Amino acid sequence: MEFLLYLALGACAGVLAGLFGVGGGIIIVPVLVFSFTLQGFDQSILTHLAVGTSLATIIFTSVNAVREHHRRGAVRWPIFMWMTVGILLGAGFGALTAEAISGPNLQKIIGVFALVIAVQLALDVKPKASRTVPGKLGLTVAGSVIGWASAIFGIGGGSLTVPFLTWRSVPMQQAVATSSACGLPIALASALSFMILGWHDPLLPPHSLGFVYLPALLGIALTSMVFARIGARLAHKLSPRLLKRLFAALLFCVGLSFLL
């Protein structure tokens, strides 16, 4: 039964990855926390396990989404390259920060983040394109901050990267596409860090590689890779306004459940 949930979750995460340039982690983490709680995993490590597993799934979600966006010529690869330098540094520090936070407190932090993103989506708050794309140093610094935050929240960074690139006058479709590309190094560096940090934890359930739970990773990866391409195609055809508001309502409920 849990595996069927992971398959459905992967399909949802894949569509979100392609459509909005997010890795789906903002949905994956809360559902995994709920699932791991029902499975009786230890409360002190299940949130870290959910975050680490979410980041590992984003590796698979990102690949097909990026391929579809690249095929349409929408990825700004020079921006991606210099942001990745910072992302690789920030993601490792983010994993260390998350490990230092207790499970219940980490859930509250993720809950607040979900509420903030829900409000941003519901009100369609977007930074105005008021500045140009920064230089190599600016992109590296931005990447390090986004990588650090993404590792803590278990996300691909799209909810941070897209607004940043839009603010820097990158057209929306290119911002979404480049954000999808940036999600791959975020996921790789963060997931590896969570694996290493949790490797010898005695409270981990069977079939875990550090803070990555393999059954959930497999189920989500199987469907997310297929549905990410569907989401990327929709991003170039549909107005996502209604979908964003529905997504915002879901995130609002998720955030409240983590805080109450």
Side-chain angles (χ1 to χ4, degrees):
M1 188 65 185
E2 288 85 2
F3 193 71
L4 292 177
L5 172 65
Y6 300 144
L7 290 173
L9 184 56
C12 178
V15 172
L16 291 175
L19 189 58
F20 298 124
V22 301
I26 196 66
I27 292 298
I28 292 174
V29 172
V31 175
L32 287 182
V33 167
F34 179 71
S35 175
F36 292 166
T37 301
L38 292 180
Q39 290 175 257
F41 294 175
D42 192 280
Q43 288 288 330
S44 64
I45 57 96
L46 68 82
T47 306
H48 298 83
L49 191 65
V51 171
T53 304
S54 170
L55 289 161
T57 66
I58 292 168
I59 297 172
F60 300 93
T61 304
S62 296
V63 170
N64 273 1
V66 173
R67 286 177 60 190
E68 186 66 26
H69 285 302
H70 174 67
R71 189 176 70 84
R72 296 174 180 270
V75 181
R76 298 278 292 270
W77 290 111
I79 294 176
F80 162 82
M81 289 174 59
W82 286 105
M83 288 192 70
T84 296
V85 174
I87 283 168
L88 295 177
L89 295 173
F93 284 110
L96 287 170
T97 304
E99 189 198 26
I101 302 171
S102 69
N105 285 335
L106 186 57
Q107 286 189 30
K108 288 182 173 60
I109 291 171
I110 294 171
V112 170
F113 179 73
L115 289 177
V116 171
I117 298 302
V119 171
Q120 184 263 327
L121 286 172
L123 300 180
D124 200 23
V125 178
K126 297 177 183 177
K128 294 183 178 179
S130 57
R131 299 191 180 187
T132 58
V133 175
K136 298 173 182 178
L137 178 60
L139 289 173
T140 301
V141 172
S144 65
V145 174
I146 291 171
W148 174 80
S150 299
I152 295 174
F153 300 130
I155 61 174
S159 52
L160 304 173
T161 308
V162 172
F164 168 72
L165 293 178
T166 303
W167 175 49
R168 290 294 188 163
S169 302
V170 176
M172 178 56 72
Q173 285 190 346
Q174 292 182 10
V176 169
T178 307
S179 171
S180 292
C182 289
L184 186 56
I186 287 173
L188 282 168
S190 302
L192 181 60
S193 298
F194 272 90
M195 285 182 186
I196 294 170
L197 292 171
W199 194 262
H200 296 295
D201 197 308
L203 299 175
L204 288 171
H207 313 302
S208 298
L209 283 180
F211 289 129
V212 175
Y213 185 55
L214 294 180
L217 172 60
L218 176 62
I220 295 170
L222 283 174
T223 51
S224 66
M225 292 185 71
V226 175
F227 281 84
R229 297 186 71 176
I230 295 173
R233 290 171 186 168
L234 289 174
H236 293 271
K237 294 181 179 180
L238 301 178
S239 171
R241 186 175 181 182
L242 177 61
L243 289 174
K244 281 187 176 182
R245 290 183 175 176
L246 292 174
F247 188 33
L250 178 60
L251 287 182
F252 189 77
C253 294
V254 166
L256 285 182
S257 69
F258 271 28
L259 293 174
L260 298 178

Coordinates of all heavy atoms in Angstrom, one line a residue, residues 84-139:
T84 N 25.6 26.8 -10.1 CA 25.9 25.5 -9.6 C 27.2 25.5 -8.7 O 27.2 24.7 -7.8 CB 26.1 24.5 -10.8 OG1 24.9 24.4 -11.5 CG2 26.6 23.1 -10.3
V85 N 28.1 26.3 -9.0 CA 29.3 26.5 -8.2 C 28.9 26.8 -6.7 O 29.4 26.2 -5.8 CB 30.3 27.5 -8.7 CG1 31.4 27.8 -7.8 CG2 30.8 27.2 -10.1
G86 N 28.0 27.7 -6.6 CA 27.5 28.1 -5.3 C 26.6 27.0 -4.7 O 26.6 26.8 -3.5
I87 N 25.8 26.4 -5.5 CA 24.8 25.4 -5.1 C 25.6 24.2 -4.4 O 25.2 23.7 -3.3 CB 24.0 24.9 -6.2 CG1 22.9 25.9 -6.6 CG2 23.4 23.5 -5.9 CD1 22.2 25.6 -7.9
L88 N 26.7 23.8 -5.0 CA 27.4 22.7 -4.5 C 28.0 23.0 -3.1 O 28.0 22.1 -2.2 CB 28.6 22.3 -5.4 CG 28.1 21.7 -6.8 CD1 29.3 21.5 -7.7 CD2 27.3 20.5 -6.6
L89 N 28.4 24.2 -2.9 CA 28.9 24.6 -1.5 C 27.7 24.7 -0.5 O 27.8 24.2 0.6 CB 29.6 25.9 -1.6 CG 30.9 25.9 -2.5 CD1 31.4 27.3 -2.6 CD2 32.0 25.0 -1.8
G90 N 26.7 25.4 -1.0 CA 25.6 25.7 0.0 C 24.8 24.5 0.4 O 24.3 24.3 1.5
A91 N 24.7 23.5 -0.5 CA 23.9 22.3 -0.3 C 24.5 21.5 0.9 O 23.8 20.9 1.7 CB 23.8 21.4 -1.5
G92 N 25.8 21.4 0.9 CA 26.5 20.6 1.9 C 26.3 21.3 3.3 O 26.0 20.6 4.3
F93 N 26.4 22.6 3.3 CA 26.2 23.3 4.6 C 24.7 23.2 5.0 O 24.4 23.2 6.2 CB 26.6 24.8 4.5 CG 28.1 25.0 4.5 CD1 28.8 25.4 3.4 CD2 28.8 24.8 5.7 CE1 30.2 25.6 3.4 CE2 30.2 25.0 5.7 CZ 30.9 25.4 4.6
G94 N 23.8 23.2 4.1 CA 22.4 23.1 4.4 C 22.1 21.7 5.0 O 21.3 21.7 6.0
A95 N 22.7 20.7 4.5 CA 22.5 19.3 5.1 C 23.0 19.3 6.5 O 22.4 18.7 7.4 CB 23.2 18.3 4.2
L96 N 24.2 19.9 6.8 CA 24.7 20.0 8.1 C 23.8 20.8 9.0 O 23.6 20.4 10.2 CB 26.1 20.6 8.1 CG 27.2 19.8 7.5 CD1 28.5 20.6 7.3 CD2 27.5 18.6 8.5
T97 N 23.2 21.9 8.5 CA 22.3 22.7 9.3 C 21.0 21.9 9.7 O 20.6 21.9 10.8 CB 21.9 23.9 8.5 OG1 23.0 24.7 8.2 CG2 20.9 24.8 9.4
A98 N 20.5 21.1 8.7 CA 19.3 20.3 8.9 C 19.5 19.2 10.0 O 18.7 19.0 10.8 CB 18.8 19.7 7.6
E99 N 20.7 18.6 9.9 CA 21.0 17.5 10.9 C 21.1 18.1 12.3 O 20.8 17.4 13.3 CB 22.4 16.9 10.5 CG 22.6 15.6 11.3 CD 24.1 15.2 11.3 OE1 25.0 16.1 11.1 OE2 24.4 14.0 11.5
A100 N 21.5 19.3 12.4 CA 21.7 19.9 13.8 C 20.3 20.3 14.4 O 20.3 20.6 15.6 CB 22.6 21.1 13.7
I101 N 19.3 20.3 13.6 CA 17.9 20.7 14.1 C 17.1 19.5 14.4 O 17.2 18.5 13.7 CB 17.2 21.5 13.0 CG1 18.0 22.8 12.6 CG2 15.8 21.9 13.5 CD1 17.4 23.5 11.3
S102 N 16.4 19.5 15.5 CA 15.6 18.3 15.9 C 14.5 18.1 14.9 O 14.1 19.0 14.3 CB 15.1 18.5 17.3 OG 14.1 19.5 17.3
G103 N 14.0 16.8 14.9 CA 13.0 16.5 14.0 C 11.7 17.3 14.1 O 11.2 17.9 13.1
P104 N 11.1 17.5 15.3 CA 9.9 18.3 15.4 C 10.2 19.8 15.0 O 9.3 20.4 14.4 CB 9.6 18.2 16.9 CG 10.2 16.9 17.3 CD 11.5 16.7 16.5
N105 N 11.3 20.3 15.4 CA 11.6 21.7 15.0 C 11.8 21.8 13.5 O 11.4 22.8 12.9 CB 12.8 22.2 15.7 CG 12.6 22.5 17.2 OD1 11.4 22.8 17.6 ND2 13.6 22.5 18.0
L106 N 12.4 20.8 12.9 CA 12.6 20.9 11.4 C 11.2 20.8 10.7 O 11.0 21.5 9.7 CB 13.4 19.7 11.0 CG 13.8 19.6 9.5 CD1 14.6 20.9 9.1 CD2 14.7 18.4 9.2
Q107 N 10.3 20.1 11.3 CA 8.9 20.1 10.7 C 8.3 21.4 10.8 O 7.6 21.9 9.8 CB 8.0 19.0 11.4 CG 8.3 17.6 11.1 CD 7.3 16.6 11.7 OE1 6.1 17.0 11.8 NE2 7.7 15.4 12.0
K108 N 8.4 22.1 11.9 CA 7.9 23.5 12.0 C 8.5 24.4 11.0 O 7.8 25.3 10.4 CB 8.1 24.0 13.5 CG 7.2 23.3 14.5 CD 7.4 23.9 15.9 CE 6.5 23.3 16.9 NZ 6.6 21.8 17.1
I109 N 9.8 24.3 10.8 CA 10.5 25.2 9.9 C 9.9 25.0 8.5 O 9.6 25.9 7.7 CB 12.0 25.0 9.9 CG1 12.5 25.5 11.2 CG2 12.7 25.7 8.7 CD1 14.0 25.1 11.5
I110 N 9.7 23.7 8.1 CA 9.2 23.3 6.8 C 7.8 23.8 6.7 O 7.3 24.3 5.6 CB 9.3 21.8 6.6 CG1 10.8 21.4 6.5 CG2 8.6 21.4 5.3 CD1 11.0 19.9 6.5
G111 N 7.0 23.7 7.8 CA 5.6 24.2 7.8 C 5.5 25.7 7.5 O 4.7 26.1 6.7
V112 N 6.4 26.5 8.1 CA 6.4 27.9 7.9 C 6.8 28.2 6.4 O 6.1 29.1 5.8 CB 7.4 28.6 8.8 CG1 7.6 30.1 8.4 CG2 6.9 28.5 10.3
F113 N 7.7 27.5 5.9 CA 8.1 27.7 4.5 C 7.0 27.4 3.6 O 6.7 28.1 2.6 CB 9.3 26.8 4.2 CG 9.8 26.9 2.8 CD1 10.5 28.0 2.3 CD2 9.6 25.9 1.9 CE1 10.9 28.1 1.0 CE2 10.0 26.0 0.6 CZ 10.7 27.1 0.1
A114 N 6.2 26.3 3.8 CA 5.1 25.9 3.0 C 4.0 27.0 3.0 O 3.4 27.3 2.0 CB 4.5 24.6 3.5
L115 N 3.8 27.6 4.2 CA 2.8 28.7 4.3 C 3.2 29.9 3.5 O 2.4 30.6 2.8 CB 2.6 29.1 5.7 CG 1.8 28.1 6.6 CD1 1.8 28.6 8.0 CD2 0.4 27.9 6.1
V116 N 4.5 30.3 3.5 CA 5.1 31.4 2.8 C 4.9 31.2 1.3 O 4.4 32.1 0.6 CB 6.5 31.6 3.1 CG1 7.2 32.7 2.2 CG2 6.7 32.1 4.6
I117 N 5.2 30.0 0.8 CA 5.1 29.7 -0.6 C 3.6 29.7 -1.0 O 3.3 30.1 -2.1 CB 5.8 28.3 -0.9 CG1 7.3 28.4 -0.6 CG2 5.6 28.0 -2.4 CD1 8.0 29.5 -1.4
A118 N 2.7 29.2 -0.1 CA 1.3 29.2 -0.4 C 0.8 30.6 -0.6 O 0.0 30.9 -1.6 CB 0.5 28.5 0.7
V119 N 1.2 31.5 0.2 CA 0.7 32.9 0.1 C 1.3 33.5 -1.2 O 0.6 34.2 -1.9 CB 1.2 33.7 1.3 CG1 0.9 35.2 1.1 CG2 0.5 33.2 2.6
Q120 N 2.5 33.2 -1.5 CA 3.1 33.8 -2.7 C 2.4 33.3 -3.9 O 2.2 34.1 -4.9 CB 4.6 33.4 -2.7 CG 5.4 34.0 -3.9 CD 5.5 33.0 -5.0 OE1 5.6 31.8 -4.9 NE2 5.6 33.5 -6.3
L121 N 2.1 32.0 -4.0 CA 1.4 31.5 -5.1 C -0.1 32.0 -5.2 O -0.6 32.3 -6.3 CB 1.4 29.9 -5.0 CG 2.7 29.2 -5.3 CD1 2.6 27.7 -5.0 CD2 3.1 29.4 -6.8
A122 N -0.8 32.0 -4.1 CA -2.2 32.4 -4.1 C -2.3 33.9 -4.5 O -3.3 34.2 -5.2 CB -2.8 32.2 -2.7
L123 N -1.5 34.7 -4.1 CA -1.5 36.1 -4.4 C -0.8 36.5 -5.7 O -0.7 37.6 -6.1 CB -1.0 37.0 -3.2 CG -1.7 36.8 -1.9 CD1 -1.1 37.7 -0.8 CD2 -3.2 37.2 -2.1
D124 N -0.1 35.4 -6.2 CA 0.7 35.6 -7.5 C 1.7 36.7 -7.3 O 1.9 37.6 -8.2 CB -0.2 35.9 -8.7 CG 0.5 35.6 -10.0 OD1 1.4 34.8 -10.0 OD2 0.1 36.2 -11.0
V125 N 2.4 36.7 -6.2 CA 3.4 37.7 -5.9 C 4.7 37.4 -6.7 O 5.2 36.3 -6.5 CB 3.7 37.8 -4.4 CG1 4.8 38.8 -4.1 CG2 2.5 38.1 -3.6
K126 N 5.1 38.3 -7.5 CA 6.3 38.1 -8.3 C 7.2 39.3 -8.2 O 6.7 40.4 -8.3 CB 5.9 37.8 -9.8 CG 5.1 36.5 -10.0 CD 4.8 36.4 -11.5 CE 3.9 35.2 -11.7 NZ 3.5 35.1 -13.2
P127 N 8.5 39.1 -8.1 CA 9.3 40.3 -8.1 C 9.4 40.9 -9.5 O 9.4 40.1 -10.5 CB 10.7 39.7 -7.7 CG 10.6 38.2 -8.1 CD 9.2 37.8 -7.9
K128 N 9.4 42.2 -9.6 CA 9.4 42.8 -10.9 C 10.8 42.7 -11.5 O 11.8 42.7 -10.8 CB 9.0 44.3 -10.8 CG 7.5 44.4 -10.4 CD 7.2 45.9 -10.3 CE 5.7 46.1 -10.0 NZ 5.3 47.5 -9.9
A129 N 10.9 42.6 -12.8 CA 12.1 42.5 -13.5 C 12.8 43.9 -13.4 O 12.6 44.7 -14.3 CB 11.9 42.0 -14.9
S130 N 13.6 44.1 -12.4 CA 14.1 45.4 -12.2 C 15.7 45.5 -12.3 O 16.2 46.5 -12.3 CB 13.8 45.9 -10.8 OG 14.2 45.0 -9.8
R131 N 16.3 44.3 -12.4 CA 17.7 44.3 -12.6 C 18.2 43.3 -13.6 O 17.4 42.4 -14.0 CB 18.4 44.0 -11.2 CG 18.1 44.9 -10.1 CD 19.0 44.7 -8.9 NE 18.7 45.6 -7.8 CZ 19.4 45.7 -6.7 NH1 20.4 44.9 -6.5 NH2 19.0 46.6 -5.8
T132 N 19.4 43.4 -14.1 CA 19.9 42.5 -15.0 C 20.6 41.3 -14.3 O 20.7 41.3 -13.1 CB 21.0 43.2 -15.9 OG1 22.1 43.7 -15.1 CG2 20.4 44.3 -16.7
V133 N 20.9 40.3 -15.1 CA 21.5 39.1 -14.6 C 22.9 39.4 -14.0 O 23.6 40.1 -14.6 CB 21.7 38.0 -15.7 CG1 22.4 36.8 -15.1 CG2 20.3 37.6 -16.2
P134 N 23.1 39.0 -12.7 CA 24.4 39.4 -12.1 C 25.6 38.7 -12.8 O 25.4 37.8 -13.6 CB 24.2 38.9 -10.7 CG 23.2 37.8 -10.7 CD 22.3 38.2 -11.8
G135 N 26.8 39.1 -12.4 CA 28.0 38.4 -12.9 C 28.3 37.1 -12.3 O 27.4 36.6 -11.5
K136 N 29.4 36.6 -12.5 CA 29.8 35.2 -12.0 C 29.7 35.1 -10.5 O 29.2 34.2 -9.9 CB 31.2 34.8 -12.5 CG 31.3 34.7 -14.1 CD 32.7 34.5 -14.5 CE 32.8 34.5 -16.0 NZ 34.2 34.3 -16.5
L137 N 30.3 36.2 -9.8 CA 30.3 36.2 -8.4 C 28.9 36.2 -7.8 O 28.5 35.5 -6.9 CB 31.1 37.3 -7.8 CG 31.2 37.4 -6.3 CD1 31.8 36.2 -5.7 CD2 32.0 38.7 -5.9
G138 N 28.0 37.1 -8.4 CA 26.7 37.2 -7.9 C 25.9 36.0 -8.1 O 25.1 35.6 -7.2
L139 N 26.0 35.3 -9.2 CA 25.3 34.0 -9.4 C 25.8 33.0 -8.5 O 25.0 32.1 -8.0 CB 25.5 33.6 -10.9 CG 24.8 34.4 -12.0 CD1 25.3 34.0 -13.4 CD2 23.3 34.3 -11.8

